[in-house]
Amino acid sequence: MKFGLMTQIQMPRPWTERTERDGFHNCITQAVAAEAAGFDHFWITEQHFFIEIGHCSCPEMVLAAIAQRTSRIRLGFSVVLLPLHNPFNVAERVGTLDVLSDGRAEFGIGRGTSRYVVEGLGGDTEKGRGQSKESIEAVLRMMENEVFPGFRGEHYDLPSRHVVPRVLQRPHPPVWVAASTLETWSRAGHQGFGCIGVTRNTPAETAASIAAYREAIRAPDPAQRVARVVNEQTGVFAIGAVHQDDRIGRDKACAAARWYYGENDAELNKVRFQTDGGVGRINDKIGRRSNDELIEDAMAIGGNPDTVCRQVERWASIGIDQMIFFLQAGHATHDEVLRSIDLIGEKVIPRFAN
């Protein structure tokens, strides 16, 4: 089992003049602390327009800053919204991070499912899947060839060019797909990509999708395979908090999870989770459970280190390779996030070292 830390740089109101400044600087500090604690990955999502919920619209810049303050932890886009960027720009952004980090970039991809975001940037959600398929094929060609031979499809007509800088990880960094729905797992396996899901689906609900992923990635169909190097890895991200006092840890994790999944008054909350039934369905699923039920179902990861280890074991038992903690959620303070990171490093990660 590997361990990751994920952030969206959330900033619930009220704000001060220093809120955004402190949020970004705290993010970098948390990534440095995660490396020191033994975490393997740091993931940051690409967000646009979602005030309070996610302020990181330029993840490559934040990851580049973290790259200069760390030496081991792998740095992941989770995810690059492919249809919203020219494929040349995507290859350049990932290549630059890979060079600056000495080959530690992880390349998460997605199509963007929020109409509010996609249409705001001039995209079309109906074309997103087709655009993503063409874009990743073109980007991987750029990464593996010294001179990109060009690409022509329904959505892109790209000329032959030198694409620089080239990635250090040849032919390309590990590619991941974000699984906002359970059906995505199998598709990611067929393409040869790693896959990251979310714990708003319980281990029992997710297990069949993990099995389908393994079957698909180990029995490749050449017509569907996209990755040049297969990345057979699975992960889930979980809203969480860890505390020496089990009750406090449980309640803080669940409060953060309830905020994240829709129990908040953020202005744009209503347009979230559109591919999974909308924020109302997700919030209802979380709201039907007590705090202890959320912990028992391993949907929020929290409590003292012993409780958290039991939850991690449940996810490991269905085939998850990486537990990704989302600690900077809702009203969690910077100090609380750092305390959770330290406890995970001291009391949780060593139990799964082998």
Side-chain angles (χ1 to χ4, degrees):
M1 176 65 76
K2 295 182 179 180
F3 290 85
L5 183 67
M6 181 179 286
T7 187
Q8 291 180 352
I9 311 186
Q10 296 200 328
M11 298 181 188
R13 295 182 190 272
W15 299 336
T16 70
E17 290 184 357
R18 289 181 60 89
T19 296
E20 285 198 310
R21 182 268 173 206
D22 290 346
F24 278 85
H25 283 261
N26 289 347
C27 169
I28 295 170
T29 300
Q30 291 160 15
V32 173
E35 178 174 84
F39 282 73
D40 302 286
H41 291 75
F42 182 85
W43 299 94
I44 191 163
T45 63
E46 178 182 348
Q47 299 282 320
H48 298 278
F49 315 131
F50 273 124
I51 56 172
E52 299 189 70
I53 294 162
H55 284 235
C56 190
S57 54
C58 299
E60 68 276 9
M61 296 186 69
V62 179
L63 292 172
I66 293 169
Q68 303 311 294
R69 292 162 175 80
T70 57
S71 61
R72 180 193 57 80
I73 197 167
R74 295 192 63 82
L75 304 174
F77 293 94
S78 64
V79 294
V80 178
L81 302 177
L82 292 176
L84 305 184
H85 306 283
N86 184 289
F88 282 123
N89 295 142
V90 173
E92 291 165 346
R93 292 163 65 194
V94 178
T96 301
L97 177 64
D98 207 42
V99 169
L100 288 173
S101 66
D102 283 327
R104 289 185 281 142
E106 302 275 328
F107 184 17
I109 61 173
R111 58 188 171 94
T113 56
S114 167
R115 290 185 181 276
Y116 188 83
V117 172
V118 174
E119 293 176 357
L121 291 171
D124 183 342
T125 55
E126 300 300 320
K127 298 178 180 178
R129 182 160 288 157
Q131 290 174 324
S132 293
K133 183 178 180 180
E134 290 187 8
S135 178
I136 188 58
E137 175 60 40
V139 169
L140 295 186
R141 288 189 195 180
M142 295 172 192
M143 290 178 173
E144 67 180 337
N145 292 288
E146 185 173 351
V147 179
F148 171 57
F151 178 90
R152 177 173 292 180
E154 179 183 352
H155 303 284
Y156 298 102
D157 186 359
L158 305 170
S160 175
R161 291 290 188 274
H162 288 277
V163 181
V164 292
R166 293 189 67 197
V167 291
L168 298 183
Q169 300 177 88
R170 305 284 176 82
H172 57 75
V175 182
W176 300 74
V177 170
S180 57
T181 65
L182 293 172
E183 294 74 22
T184 303
W185 287 92
S186 177
R187 188 179 304 114
H190 283 297
Q191 294 172 313
F193 300 152
C195 195
I196 297 175
V198 58
T199 63
R200 67 172 177 259
N201 299 307
T202 68
E205 291 171 329
T206 310
S209 296
I210 303 299
Y213 170 84
R214 298 292 184 194
E215 180 180 359
I217 203 167
R218 294 175 181 177
D221 176 356
Q224 298 186 60
R225 181 57 47 90
V226 179
R228 280 49 168 174
V229 177
V230 170
N231 179 30
E232 188 181 342
Q233 296 187 74
T234 61
V236 289
F237 81 83
I239 313 301
V242 189
H243 197 282
Q244 291 286 13
D245 185 302
D246 191 54
R247 182 75 267 157
I248 293 175
R250 286 170 176 249
D251 290 346
K252 285 187 176 295
C254 293
R258 294 185 192 283
W259 193 97
Y260 181 85
Y261 288 123
E263 194 174 298
N264 65 68
D265 58 1
E267 178 182 342
L268 298 177
N269 190 43
K270 59 183 178 295
V271 297
R272 301 170 67 208
F273 308 125
Q274 291 178 335
T275 59
D276 207 7
V279 69
R281 193 191 76 83
I282 300 299
N283 192 26
D284 181 64
K285 183 177 183 179
I286 301 299
R288 289 198 306 268
R289 291 169 165 85
S290 68
N291 281 3
D292 285 340
E293 287 171 331
L294 286 175
I295 299 298
E296 177 61 28
D297 288 341
M299 298 173 75
I301 304 297
N304 64 24
D306 287 335
T307 296
V308 170
C309 284
R310 290 193 295 271
Q311 293 177 294
V312 173
E313 286 171 353
R314 288 194 60 191
W315 285 103
S317 71
I318 67 165
I320 291 298
D321 303 313
Q322 183 180 161
M323 175 57 67
I324 303 169
F325 287 88
F326 196 132
L327 303 172
Q328 196 271 315
H331 293 280
T333 68
H334 178 52
D335 287 342
E336 288 171 345
V337 172
L338 292 177
R339 179 178 58 215
S340 291
I341 290 171
D342 288 344
L343 283 171
I344 293 167
E346 180 184 355
K347 302 289 188 181
V348 179
I349 291 176
R351 299 192 195 184
F352 296 87
N354 296 322

